[in-house]
């Protein structure tokens, strides 16, 4: 592959923040391990990972296309690939189509229920970028998109739905909504100028920070509920203690008057939290 081609691939992967697939994938694997009470077949694992990669690729590329004009007007995001011209809209559309096809192929491979429910997951993905144009509940729709990860993994393994996995899905929804509220603090003034909606835009920085903290506190309570639901033990409890400490540290990094460390809080801590919860669940179930 030539240097130019490698650069193009790098630009496309950077545009969709491919490395941040780490955010949702560990929670999908957590749902998988709980459903299988261990590790399912290699085919099932590969199918779940492929579905996650396809869904997230389509979601991020679509998000960048839907927000391209807004991003161009926002000083913080004007350097993103489509507004800056480093990635063309045609290339972004190719990623959307490719991601959708990968998701559908993986869903077909996994089982009939996954395939039947895949259009619902895509509907949430494609609606989300537009919700900030009319409601501050946009954070929750993003959470719903990521909550599909553990729910879908459960269905991929079992071929059926169970309410036992619902608390984990809701925990992921609230976790995502909480860190998205923190992320939206950066654009509070721009959102007010543009008439865009978010919790910080509606209630200000201080209340938004408290809102995010309550979301994450409720998330932790839901993760604790997993203990009696699945008979989890001390490995899982220890993992929750670490995850809770990381979330506390994340919130300590950001104040209404200082957002300078928000990138550290957003990108690093949240990725680590999801990995810790997965590893704790895996060790508890397997050992």
């Amino acid at each position: 592959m030539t240097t130019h081609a490698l650069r193009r691939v790098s630009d496309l992967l950077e545009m969709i923040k491919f490395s941040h697939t780490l955010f949702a994938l560990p929670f999908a694997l957590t749902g998988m391990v709980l459903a299988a009470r261990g590790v399912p077949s290699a085919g099932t694992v590969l199918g779940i990972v492929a579905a996650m990669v396809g869904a997230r690729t389509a979601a991020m590329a679509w998000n960048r296309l839907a927000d391209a004009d807004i991003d161009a007007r926002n000083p913080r995001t004007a350097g993103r690939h489509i507004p800056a011209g480093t990635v063309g809209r045609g290339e972004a559309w190719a990623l959307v189509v490719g991601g959708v096809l990968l998701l559908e192929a993986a869903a077909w491979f996994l089982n009939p229920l996954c395939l039947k429910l895949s259009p619902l997951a895509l509907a949430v993905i494609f609606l989300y970028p537009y919700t900030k144009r009319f409601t501050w509940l946009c954070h929750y729709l993003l959470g719903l998109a990521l909550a599909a990860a553990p729910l879908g993994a459960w269905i991929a393994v079992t071929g059926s739905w169970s309410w036992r996995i619902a608390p984990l899905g809701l925990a992921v929804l609230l976790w995502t909504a909480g860190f998205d509220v923190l992320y939206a603090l950066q654009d509070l003034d721009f959102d007010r100028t543009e008439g865009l909606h978010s919790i910080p835009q509606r209630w200000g920085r201080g209340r938004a920070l408290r809102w995010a903290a309550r979301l994450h506190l409720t998330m932790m309570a839901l993760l604790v509920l997993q203990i009696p639901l699945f008979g989890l033990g001390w490995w899982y409890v220890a993992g929750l203690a670490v995850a809770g400490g990381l979330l506390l540290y994340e919130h300590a990094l950001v104040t209404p008057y200082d957002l300078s460390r928000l990138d550290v809080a957003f990108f690093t801590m949240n990725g680590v939290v999801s990995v810790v919860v997965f590893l704790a669940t895996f060790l508890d179930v397997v050992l």
Side-chain angles (χ1 to χ4, degrees), residues 40-105:
S41 68
T44 299
V45 175
L46 289 174
I48 290 170
V49 171
M52 283 296 305
V53 171
R56 195 181 181 286
T57 297
M60 283 299 299
W62 176 255
N63 192 303
R64 292 295 186 251
L65 282 164
D67 284 353
D69 292 339
I70 294 174
D71 286 344
R73 296 193 296 271
N74 185 345
R76 186 181 67 82
T77 58
R80 285 179 175 171
H81 294 75
I82 295 178
T86 54
V87 171
R89 289 177 180 268
E91 293 172 304
W93 271 109
L95 285 175
V96 173
V97 174
V100 170
L101 291 176
L102 179 58
L103 169 62
E104 292 299 312

Side-chain angles (χ1 to χ4, degrees), residues 1-12 86 91:
M1 186 177 289
T2 66
T3 302
H4 175 73
L6 287 171
R7 187 179 300 114
R8 298 307 300 154
V9 171
S10 176
D11 285 341
L12 292 172
T86 54
E91 293 172 304

Side-chain angles (χ1 to χ4, degrees), residues 32-278:
M32 177 194 76
V33 168
L34 290 173
R37 297 307 297 177
V39 181
S41 68
T44 299
V45 175
L46 289 174
I48 290 170
V49 171
M52 283 296 305
V53 171
R56 195 181 181 286
T57 297
M60 283 299 299
W62 176 255
N63 192 303
R64 292 295 186 251
L65 282 164
D67 284 353
D69 292 339
I70 294 174
D71 286 344
R73 296 193 296 271
N74 185 345
R76 186 181 67 82
T77 58
R80 285 179 175 171
H81 294 75
I82 295 178
T86 54
V87 171
R89 289 177 180 268
E91 293 172 304
W93 271 109
L95 285 175
V96 173
V97 174
V100 170
L101 291 176
L102 179 58
L103 169 62
E104 292 299 312
W108 173 83
F109 170 79
L110 286 164
N111 60 59
L113 185 57
C114 284
L115 185 59
K116 288 178 182 178
L117 292 176
S118 60
L120 181 60
L122 289 171
V124 174
I125 285 171
F126 290 140
L127 175 61
Y128 161 67
Y130 295 97
T131 52
K132 65 186 175 186
R133 293 162 168 81
F134 59 86
T135 178
W136 54 267
L137 295 172
C138 53
H139 313 286
Y140 292 93
L141 199 70
L142 178 62
L144 182 60
L146 269 70
L151 304 182
W154 177 280
I155 293 170
V157 173
T158 65
S160 62
W161 165 257
S162 171
W163 286 105
R164 292 175 69 206
I165 196 62
L168 179 59
L170 183 56
V172 174
L173 189 158
L174 298 180
W175 169 68
T176 306
F179 72 65
D180 195 52
V181 169
L182 295 177
Y183 189 69
L185 289 167
Q186 301 172 100
D187 293 326
L188 186 153
D189 294 330
F190 176 80
D191 288 348
R192 285 176 173 169
T193 301
E194 291 286 318
L196 299 173
H197 299 270
S198 70
I199 286 174
Q201 183 273 342
R202 185 178 178 94
W203 281 287
R205 287 190 176 91
R207 290 184 66 181
L209 284 168
R210 292 191 293 274
W211 195 306
R214 286 192 290 268
L215 289 172
H216 285 158
L217 182 62
T218 309
M219 166 223 177
M220 291 301 301
L222 288 165
L223 291 179
V224 170
L225 184 58
Q226 300 279 97
I227 297 172
L229 280 175
F230 293 100
L232 300 173
W234 288 108
W235 281 106
Y236 183 77
V237 171
L240 287 194
V242 174
L246 290 170
L247 287 172
L248 284 173
Y249 177 64
E250 172 184 314
H251 285 271
L253 289 174
V254 183
T255 73
Y257 314 104
D258 182 9
L259 305 181
S260 62
R261 293 178 291 183
L262 186 57
D263 282 349
V264 174
F266 182 72
F267 293 117
T268 305
M269 288 300 103
N270 284 289
V272 175
V273 165
S274 62
V275 171
V276 166
V277 173
F278 163 64

